[in-house]
Amino acid sequence: MPNDSNLLSTIPVGPLGIVALESCTALGNRVDAYLSKWRAARNNAEKSTIAFNGYEKDSYLVKSSCPRFGSGEAKGELQESIRGKDLYILVDVTNYSIEYTVCGRKSPMSPDDHYADVKRIIAACGGKARKITVIMPFLYEGRQHKRSGRESLDCALALQELVDWGVDNIITFDAHDPRVQNAIPLHGFENIRPTYQFLKALLLSEHDLELDSDHLMVISPDEGAMNRAIYFANILGVDVGMFYKRRDYSTVVNGRNPIVAHEFLGDSVEGKDVIIIDDMISSGESMIDVAKQLKKRKAKRVYCISTFGLFTNGLDVFDKANKEGIIEKVITTNLTYQTPELLSRDWYITADMSKYIALLIDHLNHDASISDILDPTDRIQDRINEYREKHTIRENY
């Protein structure tokens, strides 16, 4: 159970309610389980007062659905009252495993469909919720964050639309460009990086890492990921390197300029374990190309870490890369849909984010500061010191 010193000094904003859309059912159930466990064990003399009405429950999940008509049109429904509740809506806009029927034909849900369902649930609230927070780990249209020529600014428009519909806070993870929050400067926007969960997953899976600059190095696969690579390298006390993508700007393939080559900037990686860190693995081609370049430079083992593992071109390229010794492990979070095939791979490790999300919701429901949660530096250093002593760490921490 987390430290309750801050929580017990404030009353909840309102009764807690969690709407986990179908795209986020598994994650929502895990978050709900943590909150129920913590609040049942919490010793608070005020829990019997009216201010804490509904505080301790077996589940905080609000039953909801977005049924569809034969034409493919849909509506949002809430099966219970949300009047006065502090509501948290969880959605995974990248979950392609859900299908709906359009005129007798099956169609997988796209990010546009998931985003539309969020708006339907907000509309179903009818302004009765006391506060609405949307937890959207993969920020909808986050990759379309800036304009190059005659293009739409989809992400900024979506954020403005959500706050216009009554959303008070938006929580996302590792936004492609967090500066998109400038579109809603007067509303809450939290961009969270799962650095602690990455480190925990890595140290639990590997027991022979040497966490020093002579044996380990952090690599950014491109200039856009440099900030997160520098932070990760600094907390580990190791060096950082970077690849930059040389593109062919005279050609457009699948909506982007193809990469001609990856050029490396940094010290020698010979004999070192290397961590490649990025915000997402889409097709995986770029990540594996960088790993190949590192192996050519005689890197020892290559670990790929990314917040979102989309694997849009399937798992075969990673199976092959692991078999050939190009990559050792791939670590991504459970913030987006994970196929059973992915979870069965021995090269894949999940960084579980459900406890962290539950912690955020618990604090926000009490209107308590989340500054300490957003800055995991002290906890990371504790785990690093623990690992250096024992070459293992405690799992439940």
Side-chain angles (χ1 to χ4, degrees):
M1 187 169 62
N3 189 331
D4 291 337
S5 58
N6 291 332
L7 299 182
L8 297 182
S9 62
T10 59
I11 64 173
V13 173
L16 177 60
I18 300 173
V19 178
L21 298 188
E22 188 179 0
S23 62
C24 229
T25 302
L27 182 62
N29 288 335
R30 291 179 65 88
V31 170
D32 181 54
Y34 276 116
L35 288 165
S36 298
K37 177 183 176 182
W38 292 342
R39 293 194 170 192
R42 189 165 287 155
N43 295 319
N44 186 353
E46 304 298 324
K47 280 203 296 186
S48 60
T49 66
I50 192 171
F52 282 78
N53 181 39
Y55 187 77
E56 187 178 323
K57 297 174 66 176
D58 293 334
S59 175
Y60 301 94
L61 291 172
V62 175
K63 294 180 181 178
S64 66
S65 62
C66 290
R68 290 184 178 267
F69 303 101
S71 61
E73 298 167 291
K75 62 179 178 180
E77 291 183 343
L78 294 170
Q79 276 82 50
E80 59 186 88
S81 174
I82 49 85
R83 185 180 294 276
K85 286 191 174 182
D86 182 18
L87 207 61
Y88 295 81
I89 303 174
L90 276 69
V91 60
D92 172 15
V93 298
T94 65
N95 191 335
Y96 58 88
S97 69
I98 304 170
E99 296 181 332
Y100 63 94
T101 303
V102 182
C103 300
R105 297 182 179 181
K106 291 288 186 180
S107 175
M109 287 188 69
S110 69
D112 292 343
D113 294 317
H114 289 298
Y115 175 65
D117 279 355
V118 172
K119 294 192 292 182
R120 292 182 177 110
I121 292 299
I122 295 171
C125 293
K128 304 302 189 296
R130 179 163 299 176
K131 190 177 73 168
I132 297 178
T133 299
V134 171
I135 300 179
M136 186 184 291
F138 187 97
L139 188 61
Y140 174 70
E141 291 289 1
R143 299 170 80 177
Q144 185 53 24
H145 61 282
K146 63 182 179 180
R147 175 175 284 151
S148 300
R150 299 181 184 91
E151 296 179 347
S152 57
L153 291 172
D154 298 63
C155 188
L157 287 171
L159 293 177
Q160 291 177 350
E161 188 174 29
L162 287 175
V163 300
D164 286 345
W165 280 49
V167 172
D168 297 280
N169 296 299
I170 298 170
I171 296 176
T172 192
F173 288 79
D174 219 346
H176 195 66
D177 189 339
R179 290 175 295 183
V180 75
Q181 67 186 291
N182 293 336
I184 49 169
L186 300 181
H187 292 80
F189 183 96
E190 299 293 346
N191 177 51
I192 301 168
R193 287 183 178 171
T195 310
Y196 174 76
Q197 287 73 20
F198 285 153
L199 185 69
K200 180 180 174 181
L202 178 63
L203 299 186
L204 281 171
S205 64
E206 299 293 319
H207 302 291
D208 61 346
L209 292 171
E210 296 294 335
L211 305 182
D212 59 58
S213 58
D214 293 329
H215 301 90
L216 185 65
M217 194 169 179
V218 176
I219 300 295
S220 171
D222 55 41
E223 58 276 18
M226 196 60 187
N227 285 339
R228 64 177 63 87
I230 290 174
Y231 177 67
F232 203 69
N234 285 344
I235 61 174
L236 289 170
V238 300
D239 293 330
V240 65
M242 184 192 83
F243 281 86
Y244 69 90
K245 298 172 182 176
R246 189 149 51 85
R247 295 181 180 271
D248 180 4
Y249 287 100
S250 64
T251 308
V252 177
V253 179
N254 294 327
R256 61 181 183 177
N257 304 110
I259 299 170
V260 177
H262 286 91
E263 306 291 349
F264 182 64
L265 300 173
D267 291 335
S268 172
V269 298
E270 184 174 353
K272 295 181 181 180
D273 292 323
V274 176
I275 297 171
I276 307 173
I277 187 166
D278 205 356
D279 61 336
M280 73 177 73
I281 295 175
S282 185
S283 66
E285 293 177 359
S286 178
M287 185 77 80
I288 290 175
D289 190 24
V290 168
K292 288 179 179 178
Q293 295 292 331
L294 292 168
K295 294 299 284 189
K296 287 180 180 178
R297 290 171 169 80
K298 299 182 180 180
K300 183 180 177 184
R301 293 175 295 187
V302 177
Y303 298 90
C304 301
I305 295 179
S306 180
T307 306
F308 306 110
L310 305 181
F311 302 101
T312 56
N313 287 2
L315 304 176
D316 291 345
V317 290
F318 283 90
D319 289 334
K320 182 180 178 182
N322 177 253
K323 186 176 181 181
E324 294 176 352
I326 295 170
I327 59 171
E328 186 74 16
K329 299 286 184 181
V330 176
I331 301 174
T332 69
T333 69
N334 59 341
L335 294 171
T336 52
Y337 173 64
Q338 299 166 297
T339 64
E341 292 78 17
L342 176 64
L343 295 173
S344 69
R345 296 301 199 265
D346 56 5
W347 47 260
Y348 179 72
I349 301 169
T350 299
D352 183 21
M353 299 299 298
S354 55
K355 187 175 182 180
Y356 194 24
I357 293 175
L359 197 61
L360 288 167
I361 292 175
D362 203 18
H363 277 68
L364 291 173
N365 180 237
H366 276 267
D367 206 18
S369 173
I370 60 173
S371 298
D372 291 340
I373 304 175
L374 299 180
D375 183 9
T377 304
D378 291 339
R379 285 181 293 151
I380 289 173
Q381 291 305 318
D382 289 342
R383 306 320 294 273
I384 290 175
N385 293 333
E386 181 184 2
Y387 186 85
R388 283 172 174 160
E389 287 182 14
K390 306 175 183 178
H391 274 273
T392 187
I393 59 172
R394 292 164 289 163
E395 184 168 0
N396 297 321
Y397 179 75

